[in-house]
């Protein structure tokens, strides 16, 4: 992942954010040391940002598409109100194995539930509405995920879509790779959708917040 803000600014922001604690620090270290594509790790600033969103909205029912090693799930779970629940979807058992271990160690096994398999199928298997949806799975399906969850948002529900600046590659007209084209298509799809209001933030690799009008 290429920094979209200067590295020293990114470091300054992290150093002036409440630290994540020993468990998440250990999770980050293990992820970087043992899993492929460690750049997918949510990280301290975005993890705390997601936690703030859950706290501020009072979200009780959260859907996460893309568990990876569990950093974002654990971060959000810390802000859940009593009786809250996170359904998180993952396709790689290697990732889920790490996530389960840390979720249990954090004491959140009762509120974080990992669903294995294609996320679209997992969404269809779940009942009810979602107060907060975090989209951070395969980029080629972002539009499909968006269309699947938008009708399922609660009255004041939010969607947060990660990686929407794609290391700045969305601005590179010569980049026609599948991932870049998928993110561009998603960004334009959301912008043109009169059903929603959105704001794109330069948090880490770009986070777009979306709500229904």
């Amino acid at each position: 992942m290429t920094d979209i803000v200067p590295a020293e600014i990114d470091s300054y922001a992290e150093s002036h954010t409440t630290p994540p604690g020993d468990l998440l620090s250990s999770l980050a270290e293990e992820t970087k040391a043992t899993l492929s594509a460690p750049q997918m790790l949510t990280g301290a600033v975005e993890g705390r940002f997601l936690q703030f969103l859950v706290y501020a909205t009072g979200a009780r029912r959260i859907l996460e598409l893309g568990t990876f090693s569990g950093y974002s799930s654990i971060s959000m779970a810390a802000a859940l109100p009593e009786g809250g629940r996170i359904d998180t979807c993952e396709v790689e058992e290697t990732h889920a194995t790490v996530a389960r271990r840390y979720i249990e160690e954090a004491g959140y096994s009762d509120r974080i539930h990992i669903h294995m398999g294609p996320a679209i199928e997992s969404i269809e298997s779940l009942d009810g509405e979602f107060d907060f949806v975090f989209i951070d799975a395969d980029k080629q399906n972002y539009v499909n995920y968006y269309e699947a969850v938008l009708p399922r948002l609660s009255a004041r529900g939010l969607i947060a879509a990660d990686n929407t600046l794609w290391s700045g590659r969305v601005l590179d007209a010569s980049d026609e790779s599948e991932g870049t084209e998928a993110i561009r298509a998603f960004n334009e799809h959301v912008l043109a959708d009169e059903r929603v209001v959105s704001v794109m933030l330069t948090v880490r690799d770009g986070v777009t917040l979306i709500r229904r009008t």
Side-chain angles (χ1 to χ4, degrees), residues 25 59 79 92 98 104 132 136 151 158 171 176 210:
S25 295
E92 296 289 343
V98 175
E104 183 175 359
F132 185 71
D136 190 22
L158 287 181
L171 296 176
E176 298 179 347
I210 306 159

Side-chain angles (χ1 to χ4, degrees), residues 176-196:
E176 298 179 347
S177 62
E178 189 175 16
T180 301
E181 292 285 18
I183 289 294
R184 285 197 194 107
F186 173 77
N187 291 341
E188 297 305 320
H189 186 82
V190 172
L191 182 63
D193 192 347
E194 295 182 354
R195 299 171 297 175
V196 303

Side-chain angles (χ1 to χ4, degrees), residues 92-111:
E92 296 289 343
E93 184 58 43
T94 304
H95 299 165
T97 297
V98 175
R100 288 190 194 98
R101 177 158 42 83
Y102 278 94
I103 288 167
E104 183 175 359
E105 186 175 345
Y108 294 148
S109 296
D110 62 332
R111 65 189 76 174

Side-chain angles (χ1 to χ4, degrees), residues 66-69 88-93 95-96 114-118:
T67 311
F68 195 40
S69 57
T88 181
C89 306
E90 180 56 53
V91 294
E92 296 289 343
E93 184 58 43
H95 299 165
I114 298 177
H115 302 268
M116 298 302 300

Side-chain angles (χ1 to χ4, degrees), residues 40 46 65-66 119-120 123 133-150 159-166 178-187 189-190 205-208 210:
M40 294 195 304
E46 189 176 0
L65 308 180
I120 287 291
I123 294 168
V133 179
F134 183 43
I135 302 177
D136 190 22
D138 58 303
K139 311 313 170 191
Q140 290 75 18
N141 270 308
Y142 261 37
V143 171
N144 294 330
Y145 297 147
Y146 171 79
E147 289 295 338
V149 302
L150 185 63
I159 297 172
D162 202 12
N163 305 116
T164 50
L165 288 174
W166 204 231
E178 189 175 16
T180 301
E181 292 285 18
I183 289 294
R184 285 197 194 107
F186 173 77
N187 291 341
H189 186 82
V190 172
D205 194 33
V207 178
T208 299
I210 306 159

